[in-house]
Amino acid sequence: MNDWSSIQGHEQIKNDLRQLLAEKRLPHALLFTGIEGIGKNLTAKVLAKVLLCSGEEKPCNICPSCRAFDAKNHPDFYYLEPEGKANNIKIEQIRQMQSQIALSPYLADKRVVIINDAETMNEAAENSLLKTLEEPTGDVVFILVTANKDLLLPTILSRCMKLYFAPLSEDEIKIILKSKYAVNEDKATVIAKLSGGSMKRAISFLDDDNFNLCQNAMDFLSKDLNAKDIWQISDEFSAMDKAKIKQWADFLQMIIRDLLLLQAGADDNLLYNRDKKDVLDKLIVNFSLNRLFNCQNLIENLVKRLSSNADLKLMMQDFMLSWREQK
Ligand SMILES: [Zn+2]
């Protein structure tokens, strides 16, 4: 059931939204930004339900509007998200929504449109949406949700009230892991640390494969690569899913970030891999600041190339060979 209490953390944002609603000052276009997997989309849905509810305490969960919303068939609610092979939001989706919101609402006294992963709108779609944002017809509230607001047109951004969702705290992640996913205290502590404040990332660690992948990244950094290793590891990777390799690259980035923090003399509490402090302490000897920055660049490059059609095996060989050259 979507209501305010289902949103973990983000107290300030919840309060701000409730206040804007109480004073009837909620703007007709909002933009929720912040990293992936921290509750932006859930908050957008709760707000939509509240806006459509006809009960006293909103959301009341019992009025026809709330029931239609929970049954995912509210006629005045539109949820747009990336579709198709290109995994983007197309102008046809925007046009279809526009023709529907031009009619009067059926059940509520307004309509609500959520555009999730709004940064995936292509330019035509963005320009088409912009017209609606500039000249809204009828009572419509738009909620755009994105983890990459800089990819949106400045003209869209300037039309929206922006709400920034901060990463969740480790305690908040721990509470969700324990209460919703029945994770024990010890494992929850480790995962919360690795999550970087993203619930989505935390959940990915419940998969043992990912846990092993993280270990694999740590082992890779400890390795003195010889030619045989390079061919062998490249072979193994070329048989893997690109999403897994991306995840592995993310883990490498997190370890490099930890090493940079250690070089800077930062507090252990700031480390992602605090539970592997002993391994990090051994690694740091072999990683000068310069090497760490170079490695960071190599990983970023690898991630970029992963979204191209380049040959995976060659890509990994290139990466490992350049990696070995970094001293
Ligand atoms: Zn209701």
Side-chain angles (χ1 to χ4, degrees), residues 261-262 265-271:
L261 283 172
L262 284 178
D267 193 281
D268 287 0
N269 280 324
L270 295 171
L271 303 175

mmCIF file of all heavy atoms in Angstrom, residues 261-262 265-271:
data_model
loop_
_atom_site.group_PDB
_atom_site.id
_atom_site.type_symbol
_atom_site.label_atom_id
_atom_site.label_comp_id
_atom_site.label_asym_id
_atom_site.label_seq_id
_atom_site.Cartn_x
_atom_site.Cartn_y
_atom_site.Cartn_z
ATOM 1 N N LEU A 261 40.432 7.581 -0.323
ATOM 2 C CA LEU A 261 40.104 8.112 1.006
ATOM 3 C C LEU A 261 41.198 7.770 2.006
ATOM 4 O O LEU A 261 41.593 8.595 2.829
ATOM 5 C CB LEU A 261 38.765 7.549 1.488
ATOM 6 C CG LEU A 261 37.515 8.168 0.859
ATOM 7 C CD1 LEU A 261 36.265 7.400 1.265
ATOM 8 C CD2 LEU A 261 37.374 9.633 1.273
ATOM 9 N N LEU A 262 41.707 6.528 1.912
ATOM 10 C CA LEU A 262 42.774 6.120 2.828
ATOM 11 C C LEU A 262 44.038 6.952 2.594
ATOM 12 O O LEU A 262 44.695 7.370 3.540
ATOM 13 C CB LEU A 262 43.089 4.635 2.658
ATOM 14 C CG LEU A 262 42.093 3.653 3.277
ATOM 15 C CD1 LEU A 262 42.508 2.217 2.974
ATOM 16 C CD2 LEU A 262 41.998 3.855 4.795
ATOM 17 N N GLY A 265 43.876 10.065 4.283
ATOM 18 C CA GLY A 265 43.811 9.958 5.741
ATOM 19 C C GLY A 265 42.402 10.112 6.299
ATOM 20 O O GLY A 265 42.222 10.511 7.448
ATOM 21 N N ALA A 266 41.394 9.769 5.492
ATOM 22 C CA ALA A 266 40.012 9.925 5.956
ATOM 23 C C ALA A 266 39.641 8.866 7.002
ATOM 24 O O ALA A 266 40.334 7.847 7.144
ATOM 25 C CB ALA A 266 39.057 9.820 4.771
ATOM 26 N N ASP A 267 38.570 9.124 7.691
ATOM 27 C CA ASP A 267 38.092 8.235 8.739
ATOM 28 C C ASP A 267 37.593 6.903 8.151
ATOM 29 O O ASP A 267 36.964 6.888 7.096
ATOM 30 C CB ASP A 267 36.935 8.946 9.444
ATOM 31 C CG ASP A 267 36.573 8.274 10.738
ATOM 32 O OD1 ASP A 267 35.867 7.237 10.688
ATOM 33 O OD2 ASP A 267 37.003 8.772 11.784
ATOM 34 N N ASP A 268 37.869 5.793 8.846
ATOM 35 C CA ASP A 268 37.442 4.467 8.380
ATOM 36 C C ASP A 268 35.943 4.387 8.137
ATOM 37 O O ASP A 268 35.471 3.621 7.308
ATOM 38 C CB ASP A 268 37.799 3.392 9.421
ATOM 39 C CG ASP A 268 39.291 3.129 9.433
ATOM 40 O OD1 ASP A 268 39.998 3.789 8.649
ATOM 41 O OD2 ASP A 268 39.722 2.282 10.232
ATOM 42 N N ASN A 269 35.189 5.180 8.886
ATOM 43 C CA ASN A 269 33.737 5.123 8.769
ATOM 44 C C ASN A 269 33.228 5.500 7.392
ATOM 45 O O ASN A 269 32.113 5.176 7.023
ATOM 46 C CB ASN A 269 33.089 6.082 9.772
ATOM 47 C CG ASN A 269 33.052 5.456 11.131
ATOM 48 O OD1 ASN A 269 32.851 4.252 11.245
ATOM 49 N ND2 ASN A 269 33.277 6.261 12.147
ATOM 50 N N LEU A 270 34.065 6.221 6.642
ATOM 51 C CA LEU A 270 33.637 6.685 5.316
ATOM 52 C C LEU A 270 33.847 5.625 4.232
ATOM 53 O O LEU A 270 33.426 5.799 3.096
ATOM 54 C CB LEU A 270 34.392 7.964 4.938
ATOM 55 C CG LEU A 270 34.097 9.175 5.826
ATOM 56 C CD1 LEU A 270 35.061 10.308 5.501
ATOM 57 C CD2 LEU A 270 32.659 9.643 5.628
ATOM 58 N N LEU A 271 34.530 4.530 4.590
ATOM 59 C CA LEU A 271 34.856 3.525 3.575
ATOM 60 C C LEU A 271 33.655 2.671 3.209
ATOM 61 O O LEU A 271 32.863 2.298 4.071
ATOM 62 C CB LEU A 271 35.977 2.608 4.090
ATOM 63 C CG LEU A 271 37.282 3.286 4.512
ATOM 64 C CD1 LEU A 271 38.223 2.247 5.112
ATOM 65 C CD2 LEU A 271 37.918 3.989 3.333
#
